[in-house]
Structure formats: C-alpha cells, structure tokens
C-alpha cells in the first residue's frame, strides 16, 4: 500500500527560526511531489512542485528537497514568520496511481512572536 | 478562470436531503479531482475525471455519491440521502495533465465546500 507519513505532526517555533518538515513515502516510483499549505478552514495552496528527476526546488524562503530512492522529501522554511503558521501537506504522485495525489496527514506549524 | 472555484462555500442540510456541490476548474485543465476532508483527518480521494470521463471513481464511499462533468469543464458532486457522517469539507482540484504525462503537472485546489448535515 502506498502511504505518506509526515513528521512531526505538530511544531511550534519562535519567529525567525529555520525549520525542517519531513515527508516519507513507501513507494519510490513517483512522477513528482507537491508541497501544499492549508490555512484553517481554507483550501490547499500549492507551494512547490518537484519533478522526480529533480533533487530540489526553491521558492522564496522555501526549499524542498527530494530523495526519491529513499522515499523522502523535506521542506525547509527559512526565517519563519507568524504568517507561515498553517498545516503543511506533502503529496507524491505515485506512478501506479496516475489518477491522484496521495496525501500525508500534514504538519501543523505555529510560529509565535 | 484564475483559479479553481467551488460553490457553495458552506452548505447546511438536513439528514436525508440531497445536495449538489459544484466545481469550476481552471480553464484548459483537462483533469479534475474531488477529495473529502473530515474534521481532523487527512484528504480522502473520491473521484478523478479526465475530460468528461471518470476513469477512477474508486474513492466514492457509497452509491449515494455520484459525480459528473460536462463540457470538459464544470463538475458536480451529488450526495443523495445525506447522513451525518457525510459532514466534511469537499475539495476540488484541477491540473493540466493528460493521461500518463504527469511529471511536470501541478494540481491546484479550490477553497472547498464545507458540508454540515444536521
């Protein structure tokens, strides 16, 4: 069964800290992987897309890495801000399930002043 | 449109009534997905459309759930005889991928419809 695990489930950090969110998946055969954020009561906002041939992707203060062979991706957030507080979701697109993204349960991040 | 649009944003219905949820994907996106997110739970896949066809409807939880897509654009998710366990946020997403060409495909989500069955 293709599963996605995100660690930690919740994280609270003071403003300004750099932090790493972890995602692991059970099947290394993926097309790509997306990171999303979800604010309470809202939909999902796409943050980064990493293709299976890439090792990392950057957008502003966000950097996502992908180690497909070991089934891992990390999302690095630099100089965290209170506005970064949200739930972060990792979603690989497994090649055996061309019809859908498979989601982890997310990491709930709170950045405090 | 500029993004995926879902309506209504909130829906409260009485148990046993039918509801229709609508999704307008990004213009030109051939693939459309419905997911469900129950309180405190992860995203649960419901159904996938490629054009007007649904090659994967494996996530629909029961025969009370159905969905259609017309003109390769708007999709409607219908829940008949709603039950309290149907209460959740229903999310729609679209992407440009066609079939197996997925490597550089990015999925975009709408804001969801919060369904409450009382």
């Amino acid at each position: 069964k293709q599963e996605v695990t995100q660690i930690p489930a919740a994280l609270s950090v003071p403003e300004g800290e750099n932090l790493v969110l972890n995602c692991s998946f059970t099947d290394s055969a993926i097309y790509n992987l997306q990171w999303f954020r979800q604010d309470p009561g809202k939909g999902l906002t796409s943050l980064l897309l990493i293709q299976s041939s890439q090792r990392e992707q950057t957008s502003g203060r966000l950097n996502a890495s992908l180690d497909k062979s070991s089934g891992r991706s990390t999302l690095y957030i630099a100089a965290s801000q209170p506005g970064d507080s949200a739930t972060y979701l990792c979603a690989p697109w497994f090649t055996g399930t061309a019809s859908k993204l498979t989601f982890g349960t997310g990491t709930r991040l709170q950045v405090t002043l | 449109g500029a993004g995926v649009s879902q309506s209504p944003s909130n829906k409260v219905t009485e148990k046993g009534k039918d509801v229709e949820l609508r999704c307008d994907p990004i213009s030109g996106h051939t693939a459309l997905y419905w997911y469900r997110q129950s309180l405190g739970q992860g995203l649960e896949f419901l159904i996938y459309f490629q054009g007007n066809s649904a090659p994967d409807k494996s996530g629909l939880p029961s025969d009370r759930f159905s969905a259609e897509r017309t003109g390769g654009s708007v999709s409607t998710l219908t829940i008949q005889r709603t039950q309290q366990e149907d209460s959740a946020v229903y999310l729609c997403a679209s992407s440009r991928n066609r079939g197996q060409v997925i490597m550089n495909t990015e999925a975009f989500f709408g804001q969801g419809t919060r369904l409450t069955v009382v």
Side-chain angles (χ1 to χ4, degrees):
Chain A
K1 184 181 177 184
Q2 293 159 329
E3 295 182 342
V4 182
T5 303
Q6 291 188 246
I7 295 172
L11 183 63
S12 180
V13 300
E15 181 180 17
E17 273 205 9
N18 302 323
L19 54 100
V20 175
L21 307 181
N22 296 292
C23 171
S24 61
F25 41 97
T26 53
D27 185 348
S28 62
I30 64 171
Y31 288 116
N32 61 38
L33 184 144
Q34 265 185 272
W35 280 93
F36 296 88
R37 72 173 277 168
Q38 185 175 31
D39 294 280
K42 304 290 186 183
L44 277 65
T45 300
S46 180
L47 297 173
L48 288 163
L49 168 74
I50 311 180
Q51 296 179 36
S52 61
S53 58
Q54 297 176 320
R55 293 194 65 85
E56 65 178 72
Q57 194 68 253
T58 298
S59 176
R61 294 182 294 107
L62 305 179
N63 176 277
S65 67
L66 175 65
D67 183 346
K68 198 175 69 163
S69 61
S70 65
R72 295 180 190 219
S73 178
T74 61
L75 180 67
Y76 175 82
I77 303 176
S80 58
Q81 303 172 357
D84 295 330
S85 299
T87 296
Y88 290 80
L89 295 158
C90 160
W93 211 315
F94 295 111
T95 57
T97 59
S99 56
K100 56 185 177 284
L101 291 165
T102 302
F103 283 86
T105 50
T107 293
R108 191 170 65 254
L109 172 66
Q110 183 173 14
V111 181
T112 58
L113 291 169
Chain B
V4 179
S5 177
Q6 292 187 246
S7 61
S9 55
N10 280 285
K11 177 72 176 178
V12 179
T13 190
E14 292 181 352
K15 178 181 172 181
K17 295 282 178 76
D18 298 352
V19 295
E20 282 190 354
L21 313 180
R22 177 187 167 107
C23 173
D24 263 292
I26 292 172
S27 178
H29 280 193
T30 59
L32 185 147
Y33 318 82
W34 283 98
Y35 285 80
R36 177 169 74 172
Q37 188 175 35
S38 302
L39 187 63
Q41 302 297 310
L43 272 83
E44 175 189 5
F45 167 78
L46 298 178
I47 187 169
Y48 155 66
F49 285 93
Q50 181 62 252
N52 293 336
S53 302
D56 188 350
K57 51 180 86 171
S58 62
L60 294 177
S62 76
D63 59 7
R64 297 187 295 104
F65 287 72
S66 64
E68 65 174 12
R69 189 177 184 196
T70 55
S73 181
V74 172
S75 176
T76 303
L77 177 69
T78 301
I79 309 173
Q80 296 178 309
R81 304 181 303 282
T82 52
Q83 304 294 313
Q84 287 186 328
E85 62 262 28
D86 299 334
S87 296
V89 176
Y90 290 81
L91 292 160
C92 175
S94 71
S95 65
R96 199 179 301 151
N97 59 295
R98 292 179 179 274
Q100 300 300 310
V101 183
I102 295 176
M103 286 189 67
N104 61 349
T105 289
E106 189 170 1
F108 296 90
F109 279 77
Q111 292 299 297
T113 293
R114 180 176 299 279
L115 175 66
T116 304
V117 182
V118 297

